[in-house]
PDB file of all heavy atoms in Angstrom:
ATOM      1  N   HIS A 408      42.294  -0.040  -8.037  1.00  0.00           N
ATOM      2  CA  HIS A 408      43.724   0.055  -7.859  1.00  0.00           C
ATOM      3  C   HIS A 408      44.082   0.826  -6.611  1.00  0.00           C
ATOM      4  O   HIS A 408      45.273   1.136  -6.459  1.00  0.00           O
ATOM      5  CB  HIS A 408      44.287   0.803  -9.124  1.00  0.00           C
ATOM      6  CG  HIS A 408      44.099  -0.159 -10.352  1.00  0.00           C
ATOM      7  ND1 HIS A 408      44.760  -1.295 -10.687  1.00  0.00           N
ATOM      8  CD2 HIS A 408      43.170   0.070 -11.402  1.00  0.00           C
ATOM      9  CE1 HIS A 408      44.304  -1.698 -11.804  1.00  0.00           C
ATOM     10  NE2 HIS A 408      43.465  -0.999 -12.210  1.00  0.00           N
ATOM     11  N   ILE A 409      43.110   1.209  -5.748  1.00  0.00           N
ATOM     12  CA  ILE A 409      43.248   2.009  -4.575  1.00  0.00           C
ATOM     13  C   ILE A 409      42.810   1.123  -3.460  1.00  0.00           C
ATOM     14  O   ILE A 409      41.777   1.113  -3.065  1.00  0.00           O
ATOM     15  CB  ILE A 409      42.599   3.328  -4.693  1.00  0.00           C
ATOM     16  CG1 ILE A 409      42.896   4.113  -5.893  1.00  0.00           C
ATOM     17  CG2 ILE A 409      42.887   4.169  -3.395  1.00  0.00           C
ATOM     18  CD1 ILE A 409      42.033   5.257  -6.250  1.00  0.00           C
ATOM     19  N   PRO A 410      43.760   0.447  -2.716  1.00  0.00           N
ATOM     20  CA  PRO A 410      43.458  -0.502  -1.717  1.00  0.00           C
ATOM     21  C   PRO A 410      42.643   0.164  -0.508  1.00  0.00           C
ATOM     22  O   PRO A 410      41.839  -0.379   0.033  1.00  0.00           O
ATOM     23  CB  PRO A 410      44.772  -1.023  -1.232  1.00  0.00           C
ATOM     24  CG  PRO A 410      45.733  -0.811  -2.367  1.00  0.00           C
ATOM     25  CD  PRO A 410      45.176   0.372  -3.103  1.00  0.00           C
ATOM     26  N   SER A 411      43.019   1.516  -0.247  1.00  0.00           N
ATOM     27  CA  SER A 411      42.314   2.157   0.919  1.00  0.00           C
ATOM     28  C   SER A 411      40.887   2.245   0.607  1.00  0.00           C
ATOM     29  O   SER A 411      40.041   2.408   1.668  1.00  0.00           O
ATOM     30  CB  SER A 411      43.068   3.405   1.233  1.00  0.00           C
ATOM     31  OG  SER A 411      42.949   4.311   0.068  1.00  0.00           O
ATOM     32  N   LEU A 412      40.459   2.419  -0.699  1.00  0.00           N
ATOM     33  CA  LEU A 412      39.091   2.593  -0.936  1.00  0.00           C
ATOM     34  C   LEU A 412      38.365   1.269  -0.770  1.00  0.00           C
ATOM     35  O   LEU A 412      37.153   1.207  -0.441  1.00  0.00           O
ATOM     36  CB  LEU A 412      38.846   3.005  -2.368  1.00  0.00           C
ATOM     37  CG  LEU A 412      38.877   4.617  -2.666  1.00  0.00           C
ATOM     38  CD1 LEU A 412      38.726   4.906  -4.160  1.00  0.00           C
ATOM     39  CD2 LEU A 412      37.771   5.260  -1.893  1.00  0.00           C
ATOM     40  N   GLN A 413      38.999   0.135  -0.972  1.00  0.00           N
ATOM     41  CA  GLN A 413      38.283  -1.053  -0.856  1.00  0.00           C
ATOM     42  C   GLN A 413      37.987  -1.505   0.443  1.00  0.00           C
ATOM     43  O   GLN A 413      37.238  -2.408   0.782  1.00  0.00           O
ATOM     44  CB  GLN A 413      39.195  -2.270  -1.624  1.00  0.00           C
ATOM     45  CG  GLN A 413      39.502  -1.981  -3.029  1.00  0.00           C
ATOM     46  CD  GLN A 413      38.310  -1.728  -3.826  1.00  0.00           C
ATOM     47  OE1 GLN A 413      37.285  -2.399  -3.788  1.00  0.00           O
ATOM     48  NE2 GLN A 413      38.379  -0.696  -4.726  1.00  0.00           N
ATOM     49  N   THR A 414      38.532  -0.790   1.397  1.00  0.00           N
ATOM     50  CA  THR A 414      38.293  -1.052   2.865  1.00  0.00           C
ATOM     51  C   THR A 414      37.458   0.043   3.550  1.00  0.00           C
ATOM     52  O   THR A 414      37.028  -0.045   4.696  1.00  0.00           O
ATOM     53  CB  THR A 414      39.502  -1.236   3.657  1.00  0.00           C
ATOM     54  OG1 THR A 414      40.330  -0.033   3.564  1.00  0.00           O
ATOM     55  CG2 THR A 414      40.276  -2.494   3.212  1.00  0.00           C
ATOM     56  N   ASN A 415      37.166   1.125   2.812  1.00  0.00           N
ATOM     57  CA  ASN A 415      36.382   2.313   3.240  1.00  0.00           C
ATOM     58  C   ASN A 415      34.865   1.890   3.237  1.00  0.00           C
ATOM     59  O   ASN A 415      34.305   1.709   2.037  1.00  0.00           O
ATOM     60  CB  ASN A 415      36.675   3.462   2.384  1.00  0.00           C
ATOM     61  CG  ASN A 415      36.005   4.721   2.896  1.00  0.00           C
ATOM     62  OD1 ASN A 415      34.737   4.588   3.113  1.00  0.00           O
ATOM     63  ND2 ASN A 415      36.765   5.758   2.995  1.00  0.00           N
ATOM     64  N   THR A 416      34.251   1.729   4.347  1.00  0.00           N
ATOM     65  CA  THR A 416      32.890   1.209   4.402  1.00  0.00           C
ATOM     66  C   THR A 416      31.925   2.282   3.778  1.00  0.00           C
ATOM     67  O   THR A 416      30.906   1.846   3.211  1.00  0.00           O
ATOM     68  CB  THR A 416      32.492   0.979   5.842  1.00  0.00           C
ATOM     69  OG1 THR A 416      32.673   2.192   6.676  1.00  0.00           O
ATOM     70  CG2 THR A 416      33.113  -0.250   6.441  1.00  0.00           C
ATOM     71  N   HIS A 417      32.286   3.586   3.898  1.00  0.00           N
ATOM     72  CA  HIS A 417      31.376   4.543   3.275  1.00  0.00           C
ATOM     73  C   HIS A 417      31.465   4.471   1.815  1.00  0.00           C
ATOM     74  O   HIS A 417      30.276   4.429   1.056  1.00  0.00           O
ATOM     75  CB  HIS A 417      31.862   5.816   3.681  1.00  0.00           C
ATOM     76  CG  HIS A 417      30.937   7.038   3.424  1.00  0.00           C
ATOM     77  ND1 HIS A 417      29.539   7.107   3.993  1.00  0.00           N
ATOM     78  CD2 HIS A 417      31.067   8.138   2.641  1.00  0.00           C
ATOM     79  CE1 HIS A 417      29.123   8.173   3.473  1.00  0.00           C
ATOM     80  NE2 HIS A 417      29.744   8.794   2.683  1.00  0.00           N
ATOM     81  N   PHE A 418      32.552   4.195   1.274  1.00  0.00           N
ATOM     82  CA  PHE A 418      32.704   3.995  -0.250  1.00  0.00           C
ATOM     83  C   PHE A 418      32.052   2.797  -0.714  1.00  0.00           C
ATOM     84  O   PHE A 418      31.344   2.673  -1.659  1.00  0.00           O
ATOM     85  CB  PHE A 418      34.247   3.926  -0.691  1.00  0.00           C
ATOM     86  CG  PHE A 418      34.476   3.461  -2.115  1.00  0.00           C
ATOM     87  CD1 PHE A 418      34.303   4.461  -3.084  1.00  0.00           C
ATOM     88  CD2 PHE A 418      34.811   2.167  -2.343  1.00  0.00           C
ATOM     89  CE1 PHE A 418      34.441   4.036  -4.418  1.00  0.00           C
ATOM     90  CE2 PHE A 418      34.989   1.805  -3.649  1.00  0.00           C
ATOM     91  CZ  PHE A 418      34.773   2.674  -4.635  1.00  0.00           C
ATOM     92  N   ILE A 419      32.212   1.638   0.099  1.00  0.00           N
ATOM     93  CA  ILE A 419      31.598   0.341  -0.322  1.00  0.00           C
ATOM     94  C   ILE A 419      30.102   0.503  -0.273  1.00  0.00           C
ATOM     95  O   ILE A 419      29.409  -0.051  -1.260  1.00  0.00           O
ATOM     96  CB  ILE A 419      32.080  -0.725   0.617  1.00  0.00           C
ATOM     97  CG1 ILE A 419      33.510  -0.969   0.347  1.00  0.00           C
ATOM     98  CG2 ILE A 419      31.291  -2.012   0.422  1.00  0.00           C
ATOM     99  CD1 ILE A 419      34.262  -1.806   1.424  1.00  0.00           C
ATOM    100  N   TYR A 420      29.524   1.162   0.722  1.00  0.00           N
ATOM    101  CA  TYR A 420      28.071   1.382   0.830  1.00  0.00           C
ATOM    102  C   TYR A 420      27.456   2.156  -0.460  1.00  0.00           C
ATOM    103  O   TYR A 420      26.577   1.750  -1.058  1.00  0.00           O
ATOM    104  CB  TYR A 420      27.663   2.113   2.123  1.00  0.00           C
ATOM    105  CG  TYR A 420      26.112   2.442   2.140  1.00  0.00           C
ATOM    106  CD1 TYR A 420      25.267   1.546   2.473  1.00  0.00           C
ATOM    107  CD2 TYR A 420      25.735   3.729   1.900  1.00  0.00           C
ATOM    108  CE1 TYR A 420      23.899   1.677   2.509  1.00  0.00           C
ATOM    109  CE2 TYR A 420      24.462   4.001   1.851  1.00  0.00           C
ATOM    110  CZ  TYR A 420      23.515   3.092   2.199  1.00  0.00           C
ATOM    111  OH  TYR A 420      22.213   3.356   2.222  1.00  0.00           O
ATOM    112  N   MET A 421      28.212   3.298  -0.664  1.00  0.00           N
ATOM    113  CA  MET A 421      27.701   4.083  -1.790  1.00  0.00           C
ATOM    114  C   MET A 421      27.830   3.283  -3.187  1.00  0.00           C
ATOM    115  O   MET A 421      27.044   3.360  -4.045  1.00  0.00           O
ATOM    116  CB  MET A 421      28.454   5.431  -1.917  1.00  0.00           C
ATOM    117  CG  MET A 421      27.940   6.276  -0.722  1.00  0.00           C
ATOM    118  SD  MET A 421      28.774   7.848  -0.727  1.00  0.00           S
ATOM    119  CE  MET A 421      30.438   7.312  -0.371  1.00  0.00           C
ATOM    120  N   ARG A 422      29.015   2.736  -3.397  1.00  0.00           N
ATOM    121  CA  ARG A 422      29.226   1.977  -4.578  1.00  0.00           C
ATOM    122  C   ARG A 422      28.214   0.888  -4.831  1.00  0.00           C
ATOM    123  O   ARG A 422      27.473   0.742  -5.808  1.00  0.00           O
ATOM    124  CB  ARG A 422      30.633   1.245  -4.543  1.00  0.00           C
ATOM    125  CG  ARG A 422      31.005   0.295  -5.706  1.00  0.00           C
ATOM    126  CD  ARG A 422      32.056  -0.558  -5.472  1.00  0.00           C
ATOM    127  NE  ARG A 422      31.654  -1.519  -4.407  1.00  0.00           N
ATOM    128  CZ  ARG A 422      32.513  -2.333  -3.806  1.00  0.00           C
ATOM    129  NH1 ARG A 422      33.715  -2.291  -4.010  1.00  0.00           N
ATOM    130  NH2 ARG A 422      32.038  -3.207  -2.908  1.00  0.00           N
ATOM    131  N   ASN A 423      27.846   0.060  -3.705  1.00  0.00           N
ATOM    132  CA  ASN A 423      26.748  -0.877  -3.792  1.00  0.00           C
ATOM    133  C   ASN A 423      25.347  -0.310  -3.989  1.00  0.00           C
ATOM    134  O   ASN A 423      24.642  -0.903  -4.754  1.00  0.00           O
ATOM    135  CB  ASN A 423      26.859  -1.759  -2.573  1.00  0.00           C
ATOM    136  CG  ASN A 423      28.078  -2.708  -2.492  1.00  0.00           C
ATOM    137  OD1 ASN A 423      28.795  -2.850  -3.360  1.00  0.00           O
ATOM    138  ND2 ASN A 423      28.259  -3.221  -1.293  1.00  0.00           N
ATOM    139  N   PHE A 424      25.116   0.884  -3.384  1.00  0.00           N
ATOM    140  CA  PHE A 424      23.877   1.489  -3.574  1.00  0.00           C
ATOM    141  C   PHE A 424      23.705   1.881  -5.102  1.00  0.00           C
ATOM    142  O   PHE A 424      22.618   1.723  -5.645  1.00  0.00           O
ATOM    143  CB  PHE A 424      23.832   2.701  -2.727  1.00  0.00           C
ATOM    144  CG  PHE A 424      22.454   3.390  -2.823  1.00  0.00           C
ATOM    145  CD1 PHE A 424      21.405   2.981  -2.026  1.00  0.00           C
ATOM    146  CD2 PHE A 424      22.275   4.418  -3.739  1.00  0.00           C
ATOM    147  CE1 PHE A 424      20.156   3.616  -2.075  1.00  0.00           C
ATOM    148  CE2 PHE A 424      20.998   5.052  -3.754  1.00  0.00           C
ATOM    149  CZ  PHE A 424      20.070   4.636  -2.985  1.00  0.00           C
ATOM    150  N   ILE A 425      24.701   2.489  -5.666  1.00  0.00           N
ATOM    151  CA  ILE A 425      24.700   2.927  -7.117  1.00  0.00           C
ATOM    152  C   ILE A 425      24.482   1.633  -8.016  1.00  0.00           C
ATOM    153  O   ILE A 425      23.741   1.680  -8.902  1.00  0.00           O
ATOM    154  CB  ILE A 425      25.891   3.729  -7.456  1.00  0.00           C
ATOM    155  CG1 ILE A 425      25.809   5.142  -6.749  1.00  0.00           C
ATOM    156  CG2 ILE A 425      25.960   3.977  -8.950  1.00  0.00           C
ATOM    157  CD1 ILE A 425      26.958   6.044  -6.927  1.00  0.00           C
ATOM    158  N   ILE A 426      25.214   0.462  -7.728  1.00  0.00           N
ATOM    159  CA  ILE A 426      25.147  -0.684  -8.496  1.00  0.00           C
ATOM    160  C   ILE A 426      23.719  -1.195  -8.400  1.00  0.00           C
ATOM    161  O   ILE A 426      23.189  -1.646  -9.421  1.00  0.00           O
ATOM    162  CB  ILE A 426      26.168  -1.624  -8.120  1.00  0.00           C
ATOM    163  CG1 ILE A 426      27.571  -1.136  -8.379  1.00  0.00           C
ATOM    164  CG2 ILE A 426      26.024  -3.034  -8.643  1.00  0.00           C
ATOM    165  CD1 ILE A 426      28.810  -1.981  -7.898  1.00  0.00           C
ATOM    166  N   ASP A 427      23.254  -1.244  -7.235  1.00  0.00           N
ATOM    167  CA  ASP A 427      21.885  -1.788  -7.060  1.00  0.00           C
ATOM    168  C   ASP A 427      20.839  -0.959  -7.607  1.00  0.00           C
ATOM    169  O   ASP A 427      19.847  -1.418  -8.350  1.00  0.00           O
ATOM    170  CB  ASP A 427      21.453  -1.927  -5.463  1.00  0.00           C
ATOM    171  CG  ASP A 427      22.289  -2.976  -4.822  1.00  0.00           C
ATOM    172  OD1 ASP A 427      22.810  -3.905  -5.539  1.00  0.00           O
ATOM    173  OD2 ASP A 427      22.428  -3.075  -3.521  1.00  0.00           O
ATOM    174  N   ALA A 428      21.021   0.387  -7.658  1.00  0.00           N
ATOM    175  CA  ALA A 428      20.089   1.275  -8.336  1.00  0.00           C
ATOM    176  C   ALA A 428      20.117   1.063  -9.853  1.00  0.00           C
ATOM    177  O   ALA A 428      19.084   0.892 -10.498  1.00  0.00           O
ATOM    178  CB  ALA A 428      20.314   2.823  -8.013  1.00  0.00           C
ATOM    179  N   GLU A 429      21.235   0.798 -10.424  1.00  0.00           N
ATOM    180  CA  GLU A 429      21.438   0.546 -11.767  1.00  0.00           C
ATOM    181  C   GLU A 429      20.763  -0.853 -12.223  1.00  0.00           C
ATOM    182  O   GLU A 429      20.086  -0.983 -13.231  1.00  0.00           O
ATOM    183  CB  GLU A 429      22.873   0.694 -12.250  1.00  0.00           C
ATOM    184  CG  GLU A 429      23.066   0.374 -13.715  1.00  0.00           C
ATOM    185  CD  GLU A 429      22.453   1.365 -14.638  1.00  0.00           C
ATOM    186  OE1 GLU A 429      22.134   2.698 -14.128  1.00  0.00           O
ATOM    187  OE2 GLU A 429      22.082   1.214 -15.756  1.00  0.00           O
ATOM    188  N   LYS A 430      20.946  -1.805 -11.335  1.00  0.00           N
ATOM    189  CA  LYS A 430      20.357  -3.127 -11.544  1.00  0.00           C
ATOM    190  C   LYS A 430      18.846  -2.908 -11.531  1.00  0.00           C
ATOM    191  O   LYS A 430      17.973  -3.548 -12.347  1.00  0.00           O
ATOM    192  CB  LYS A 430      20.783  -4.134 -10.414  1.00  0.00           C
ATOM    193  CG  LYS A 430      22.265  -4.627 -10.692  1.00  0.00           C
ATOM    194  CD  LYS A 430      22.560  -5.641  -9.512  1.00  0.00           C
ATOM    195  CE  LYS A 430      23.828  -6.207  -9.616  1.00  0.00           C
ATOM    196  NZ  LYS A 430      24.267  -6.943  -8.427  1.00  0.00           N
TER     197      LYS A 430
END
Side-chain angles (χ1 to χ4, degrees):
H408 301 288
I409 305 170
S411 60
L412 272 176
Q413 300 310 312
T414 57
N415 185 309
T416 55
H417 193 63
F418 170 79
I419 293 169
Y420 173 79
M421 289 178 295
R422 177 197 65 193
N423 291 345
F424 184 86
I425 292 172
I426 289 169
D427 289 344
E429 183 62 25
K430 284 180 185 175

